């Protein structure tokens, strides 16, 4: 192995990209090197009876340098392309309890960014690292972290919102979320939401789940503002919605509860973009999903 080959392979060890991309890049470089060597060896083979002249040696050296430069250019282009593919999010997962957190997930199912959307979210992310982990492993690490533990008690309510142009990836992330969160003692919902809803929530400075719940509460009680809702936990929002939708019934935030969205099932409802599953500890919720006692 030449010194150049060794340097290229060492550089690849530092590149954080999928192994498939790195393998394809190395293959391209090897092909370029072989082609360059073939172009040099052919004229030499044809005139093997003659001693190579200084001019031919200089030409061979020049071709090798061009080949090395071409290999470096291929490496740069493919690495940049691979890096872009790795870091470019293709899905976003919003997690709202009282902390509001958004995870950006790439096409390979890895979390490439974890962003806190409020102060409680920042405190949680300070206690756990989620980047460069598979989504299900990142979500498990988050829910088991010391910073997140106080927000997943029996009286808590968690809302997970998945946004992606890739419907297959969106459904996969929703299913993984439902499976991970179903083991928690609290209630909640998992839903696939549109990019428009995500953008509107971002404009309001809120997580998608909190924003959707705020809009629902404001329909029942026009005196409530987005600013007021941004300071409520998801359980407070859901209790207020429950109280407004059933004013003659007593609302109690107890028990594990179940959240069922339009396509429902499991402790965490499987909502769709048009729905807002209201899993409550007790009582019946309205909107797109109905709560059931646990």
């Amino acid at each position: 192995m030449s010194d150049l080959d060794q340097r290229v392979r060492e550089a690849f060890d530092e590149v954080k990209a999928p192994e498939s991309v790195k393998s394809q890049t190395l293959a391209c470089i090897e092909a370029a090197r072989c082609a360059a060597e073939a172009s040099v060896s052919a004229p030499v083979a044809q005139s093997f009876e003659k001693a190579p002249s200084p001019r031919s040696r200089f030409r061979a050296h020049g071709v090798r340098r061009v080949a090395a430069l071409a290999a470096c250019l291929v490496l740069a282009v493919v690495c940049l392309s691979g890096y872009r593919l790795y870091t470019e999010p293709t899905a976003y997962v919003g997690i709202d309890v009282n902390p509001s957190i958004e995870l950006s997930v790439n096409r390979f199912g890895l979390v490439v960014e974890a962003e806190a959307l409020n102060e409680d979210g920042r405190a949680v992310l300070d206690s756990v690292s989620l980047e460069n982990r598979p989504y299900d492993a990142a979500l498990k690490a988050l829910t088991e972290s010391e910073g997140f533990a106080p927000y997943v008690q029996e009286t808590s309510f968690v809302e997970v919102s998945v946004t992606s142009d890739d419907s297959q990836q969106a459904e996969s992330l929703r299913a993984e979320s439902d499976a991970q969160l179903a083991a928690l003692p609290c209630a909640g919902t998992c839903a696939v939401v549109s990019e428009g809803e995500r953008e509107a929530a971002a404009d309001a400075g809120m997580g998608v789940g909190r924003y959707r719940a705020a809009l629902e509460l404001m329909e029942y009680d026009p005196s409530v503002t987005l600013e007021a809702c941004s300071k409520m936990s998801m359980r407070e929002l859901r209790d207020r919605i429950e109280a407004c939708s059933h004013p003659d019934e007593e609302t109690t935030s107890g028990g594990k509860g179940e959240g069922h969205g339009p396509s429902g099932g499991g402790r965490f409802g499987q909502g769709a973009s048009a729905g807002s599953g209201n899993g409550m500890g007790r009582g019946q919720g309205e909107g797109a999903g109905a709560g059931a006692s646990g």
Side-chain angles (χ1 to χ4, degrees), residues 99-100 116-124 126 151:
S100 286
L117 304 180
N118 60 9
E119 289 297 328
D120 286 341
R122 275 185 280 275
V124 169
D126 284 342
Y151 302 105

Side-chain angles (χ1 to χ4, degrees), residues 13-286:
D13 291 337
E14 302 299 323
V15 176
K16 291 184 178 180
E19 288 301 323
S20 59
V21 173
K22 294 167 69 174
S23 299
Q24 292 173 5
T25 303
L26 285 172
C28 290
I29 294 173
E30 182 65 16
R33 186 180 66 79
C34 291
E37 289 183 352
S39 66
V40 172
S41 60
V44 173
Q46 293 175 0
S47 57
F48 66 94
E49 294 181 353
K50 298 180 181 180
S53 66
R55 184 175 181 179
S56 64
R57 287 197 299 270
F58 177 78
R59 183 184 304 151
H61 181 66
V63 170
R64 289 193 180 94
R65 292 187 63 182
V66 171
L69 177 59
C72 289
L73 289 175
V74 170
L75 173 62
V77 170
V78 176
C79 283
L80 287 174
S81 177
Y83 180 77
R84 181 185 63 79
L85 289 174
Y86 183 84
T87 58
E88 182 180 58
T90 54
Y92 301 90
V93 181
I95 303 167
D96 290 285
V97 194
N98 190 48
S100 286
I101 296 168
E102 183 176 77
L103 304 181
S104 299
V105 183
N106 69 11
R107 68 189 69 246
F108 307 107
L110 301 175
V111 173
V112 293
E113 184 180 6
E115 180 183 4
L117 304 180
N118 60 9
E119 289 297 328
D120 286 341
R122 275 185 280 275
V124 169
L125 291 183
D126 284 342
S127 71
V128 61
S129 177
L130 305 178
E131 287 87 351
N132 301 312
R133 295 188 181 194
Y135 172 71
D136 56 349
L139 186 58
K140 187 174 188 294
L142 173 65
T143 57
E144 293 179 352
S145 67
E146 183 179 349
F148 200 74
Y151 302 105
V152 287
Q153 304 304 314
E154 286 193 2
T155 56
S156 302
F157 189 97
V158 182
E159 187 149 346
V160 176
S161 309
V162 181
T163 303
S164 178
D165 290 336
D166 184 337
S167 59
Q168 184 174 355
Q169 183 180 31
E171 176 56 26
S172 175
L173 292 174
R174 189 213 55 73
E176 289 178 0
S177 301
D178 194 56
Q180 289 284 339
L181 298 178
L184 299 179
C186 58
T189 60
C190 298
V192 176
V193 303
S194 68
E195 179 61 32
E197 288 177 286
R198 177 177 172 269
E199 291 178 356
D203 290 341
M206 303 168 71
V208 181
R210 195 184 308 278
Y211 178 75
R212 282 156 54 94
L215 293 184
E216 188 175 353
L217 176 57
M218 290 164 64
E219 286 185 3
Y220 287 115
D221 185 354
S223 67
V224 177
T225 65
L226 279 176
E227 182 180 0
C229 291
S230 69
K231 299 175 182 178
M232 299 182 196
S233 69
M234 290 303 300
R235 170 52 70 190
E236 290 174 318
L237 284 167
R238 288 302 171 192
D239 282 351
R240 289 282 297 274
I241 292 169
E242 179 72 3
C244 289
S245 62
H246 295 87
D248 298 328
E249 296 181 12
E250 181 180 354
T251 300
T252 304
S253 299
K256 295 183 179 179
E258 295 184 4
H260 294 286
S263 4
R267 183 196 306 274
F268 281 77
Q270 303 172 7
S273 59
S276 176
N278 298 340
M280 303 298 296
R282 294 179 183 175
Q284 294 294 322
E286 291 186 351

